[in-house]
Amino acid sequence: MPEADWSRGLLPDHVTEQGTIVQSLWNGAWIAALATGAVVLGLIIWACVFHRKRKSSAELPPQVRYNLPIEIFYTLVPLVMVSVFFFYTARDSEALEKVSANPDVKVKVEAFQWSWRFTTEVGGKTMPFPVVGQPVSDYKQGPQLVLPVGKTVQFDLSSPDVIHSFWVPEFLFKRDVIPGIKEGNPGRVFEIKTLNKPGVYAGRCAELCGVDHSRMLFSVKLVPQAEFDTYFADQLRRTQ
């Protein structure tokens, strides 16, 4: 299981450049939310302590209704906060959705009840036999997608049956796999740039898709470029 700590907002350590964007947005949102919550809680406590009705006085405390400056303040502050959140979310969403014309690696991901089929393409050459899995209880026993570190990887997602969701926690990103979306539609494509962090990372379907949803597991193995070249060459030789 991925490790998480408070310094990352309980997110796992990311293995993609895009994960840095998500981590920054996530941390900023939590800091803003906690700061807002602290201010609101402070104001509530301050009002309760210093502006409660006294037993010795039958009069109501001063009221602020129809106070135009305060009402403008109540309106502008939330509007500014929402606008700032919207700006950073829109900016980062645009960055996460960018895809390049010539990625280093292309992977066709086919999600089906209840496993995965991965077909890798590099330099115009496609792996002749896709990696196909079946429902398993341990992600290490599921289909494994091998990718090189430090490279741009583009995923094309499709499903022949129901909605699935392609999720590798260390990517800090997931994308629903929706049946019926035609090839070439940007709604089924996303891209990552892998960091230099070799290892095996768990993946799963994050959308309830049927009886064996919990066993729809796979893994992503990040390896050095030389090891990936050897792996891909071995796959191509299987046709000879």
Side-chain angles (χ1 to χ4, degrees):
M1 294 295 294
E3 296 183 359
D5 61 38
W6 286 102
S7 67
R8 296 191 297 265
L10 298 180
L11 292 180
D13 189 17
H14 57 275
V15 296
T16 70
E17 285 188 358
Q18 287 77 8
T20 303
I21 299 174
V22 176
Q23 183 72 74
S24 177
L25 183 63
W26 177 261
N27 288 349
W30 270 110
I31 291 171
L34 290 173
T36 302
V39 171
V40 171
L41 183 60
L43 289 174
I44 291 173
I45 295 174
W46 174 74
C48 291
V49 172
F50 296 103
H51 293 275
R52 69 186 187 277
K53 183 178 179 181
R54 308 291 180 177
K55 291 183 179 179
S56 59
S57 175
E59 297 180 0
L60 289 173
Q63 303 298 295
V64 296
R65 60 178 177 268
Y66 310 124
N67 187 313
L68 187 59
I70 291 180
E71 291 182 356
I72 291 175
F73 177 78
Y74 287 163
T75 303
L76 288 181
V77 170
L79 182 62
V80 170
M81 293 174 61
V82 171
S83 298
V84 171
F85 275 124
F86 177 81
F87 169 78
Y88 284 106
T89 301
R91 183 199 64 179
D92 292 347
S93 295
E94 183 179 2
L96 293 172
E97 292 175 357
K98 284 185 177 179
V99 294
S100 56
N102 297 297
D104 300 309
V105 181
K106 291 183 178 181
V107 180
K108 183 177 181 182
V109 178
E110 298 170 90
F112 58 91
Q113 293 177 310
W114 288 274
S115 194
W116 306 85
R117 182 182 294 106
F118 303 124
T119 306
T120 305
E121 177 185 334
V122 180
K125 297 181 179 179
T126 302
M127 197 163 63
F129 301 103
V131 176
V132 185
Q134 58 185 1
V136 293
S137 299
D138 185 343
Y139 75 92
K140 296 178 182 178
Q141 300 172 351
Q144 185 173 82
L145 174 62
V146 180
L147 298 174
V149 298
K151 296 296 180 180
T152 301
V153 183
Q154 189 176 106
F155 296 89
D156 183 8
L157 311 177
S158 64
S159 169
D161 40 54
V162 299
I163 298 177
H164 301 279
S165 187
F166 182 81
W167 182 38
V168 180
E170 282 84 358
F171 285 5
L172 302 191
F173 182 89
K174 63 181 178 181
R175 173 65 67 87
D176 282 354
V177 189
I178 302 175
I181 299 181
K182 296 182 179 180
E183 189 172 358
N185 188 303
R188 56 184 270 174
V189 178
F190 76 95
E191 189 172 288
I192 62 169
K193 175 71 177 292
T194 57
L195 298 178
N196 187 21
K197 295 183 178 181
V200 178
Y201 303 96
R204 63 176 60 245
C205 176
E207 185 77 30
L208 183 59
C209 58
V211 63
D212 266 337
H213 160 72
S214 63
R215 302 178 67 215
M216 196 169 168
L217 309 177
F218 66 96
S219 65
V220 173
K221 184 177 182 181
L222 296 184
V223 299
Q225 184 64 51
E227 184 176 340
F228 178 79
D229 291 340
T230 300
Y231 163 81
F232 195 73
D234 289 342
Q235 298 302 310
L236 293 178
R237 279 195 292 270
R238 292 176 61 186
T239 61
Q240 301 177 358

